[in-house]
């Protein structure tokens, strides 16, 4: 996706309107600068994935004769926004792949998760987008991505039910080989 140009002034005036609509006193010293502060948080943190340049992934060749086994990174922080309510959903991701010819640095896996997290979306798409990016860049034997996150839109609204949602995307041998699939699911649930 092309990086987006953001109009910070427009975002500021939008948040000012929200505050006025709520009948808040914008002369209160705690709130006077809130529209600017909030706009900054939205553009620089919450939605920064929208304006970041397209991710490039450096890969390393898999050693010849190496018997490919699963590479797993757990507990990757997920901080995102639900597209329906623009409220946060936060949690953890587990990302795994079985290399075919290429490897990537482990830290790159958390970088990928962070990049795709930082924008409004539905969690199902986030899980899929991470898996698709790895598929395109690593061409591995298989990929598994699990995201487990609490949705504030569920926790704060209505029944105040604990809104933890789990989504997963499996590709390649993670889908077709029951042993690989079971190993991955056991790891992902072990947290
Ligand atoms: Zn929501």
């Amino acid at each position: 996706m092309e990086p987006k140009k953001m109009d910070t002034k427009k975002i500021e005036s939008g948040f000012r309107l929200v505050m006025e609509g709520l009948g808040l006193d914008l002369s209160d010293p705690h709130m006077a600068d809130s529209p600017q502060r909030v706009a900054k948080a939205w553009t620089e943190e919450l939605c920064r994935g929208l304006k970041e340049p397209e991710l490039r992934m450096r890969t390393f060749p898999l050693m010849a004769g190496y018997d490919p086994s699963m590479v797993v990174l757990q507990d990757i922080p997920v901080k995102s926004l639900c597209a329906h309510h623009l409220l946060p959903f936060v949690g953890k991701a587990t990302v795994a792949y079985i290399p075919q010819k290429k490897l990537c640095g482990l830290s790159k896996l958390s970088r990928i998760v962070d990049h795709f997290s930082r924008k409004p979306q539905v969690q199902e798409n986030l899980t899929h987008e991470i898996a698709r990016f790895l598929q395109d860049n690593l061409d591995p034997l298989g990929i598994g991505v699990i995201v487990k996150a609490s949705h504030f839109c569920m926790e704060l609204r209505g029944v105040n039910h604990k809104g933890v949602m789990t989504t997963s995307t499996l590709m390649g041998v993670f889908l077709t080989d029951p042993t690989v699939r079971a190993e991955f699911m056991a790891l992902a649930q072990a947290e």
Side-chain angles (χ1 to χ4, degrees):
M1 200 166 56
E2 282 295 300
K4 297 256 187 301
K5 285 255 179 296
M6 287 187 185
D7 185 339
T8 313
K9 285 286 159 217
K10 201 170 194 172
I11 300 168
E12 268 182 47
S13 38
F15 280 114
R16 187 168 295 113
L17 281 177
V18 169
M19 293 177 74
E20 286 171 7
L22 290 169
L24 296 174
D25 174 11
L26 270 89
S27 67
D28 180 319
H30 291 292
M31 288 191 269
D33 298 327
S34 295
Q36 293 94 302
R37 247 190 318 264
V38 176
K40 195 167 176 229
W42 273 69
T43 54
E44 292 184 10
E45 297 297 334
L46 306 183
C47 292
R48 86 167 114 84
L50 293 173
K51 60 173 187 174
E52 282 174 351
E54 208 177 314
L55 274 189
R56 297 203 182 284
M57 187 143 88
R58 189 159 163 238
T59 60
F60 307 92
L62 187 68
M63 235 189 316
Y66 175 86
D67 191 20
S69 59
M70 199 182 290
V71 179
V72 188
L73 191 62
Q74 283 171 277
D75 281 337
I76 308 172
V78 171
K79 297 165 189 173
S80 193
L81 289 171
C82 125
H84 301 148
H85 303 96
L86 298 182
L87 287 170
F89 65 90
V90 293
K92 297 275 173 66
T94 300
V95 175
Y97 68 99
I98 299 182
Q100 184 160 222
K101 292 195 178 103
K102 294 185 220 168
L103 292 168
C104 73
L106 261 195
S107 66
K108 204 68 193 186
L109 295 178
S110 24
R111 181 74 196 88
I112 293 162
V113 170
D114 190 63
H115 172 75
F116 289 116
S117 295
R118 300 295 190 140
K119 63 187 174 191
Q121 61 198 319
V122 297
Q123 189 182 318
E124 294 87 335
N125 284 357
L126 170 63
T127 317
H128 191 79
E129 216 172 356
I130 297 164
R132 171 60 50 201
F133 182 84
L134 288 171
Q135 175 64 45
D136 292 348
N137 284 275
L138 289 178
D139 189 27
L141 293 175
I143 295 168
V145 178
I146 287 193
V147 174
K148 210 182 275 183
S150 302
H151 287 248
F152 283 46
C153 61
M154 184 130 181
E155 300 204 356
L156 301 178
R157 299 163 56 249
V159 290
N160 294 322
H161 186 266
K162 204 144 183 54
V164 180
M165 178 153 108
T166 304
T167 51
S168 66
T169 300
L170 305 177
M171 292 178 174
V173 288
F174 284 70
L175 209 53
T176 54
D177 184 334
T179 319
V180 172
R181 190 186 183 127
E183 185 189 340
F184 174 63
M185 287 302 181
L187 276 168
Q189 260 137 43
E191 308 170 35

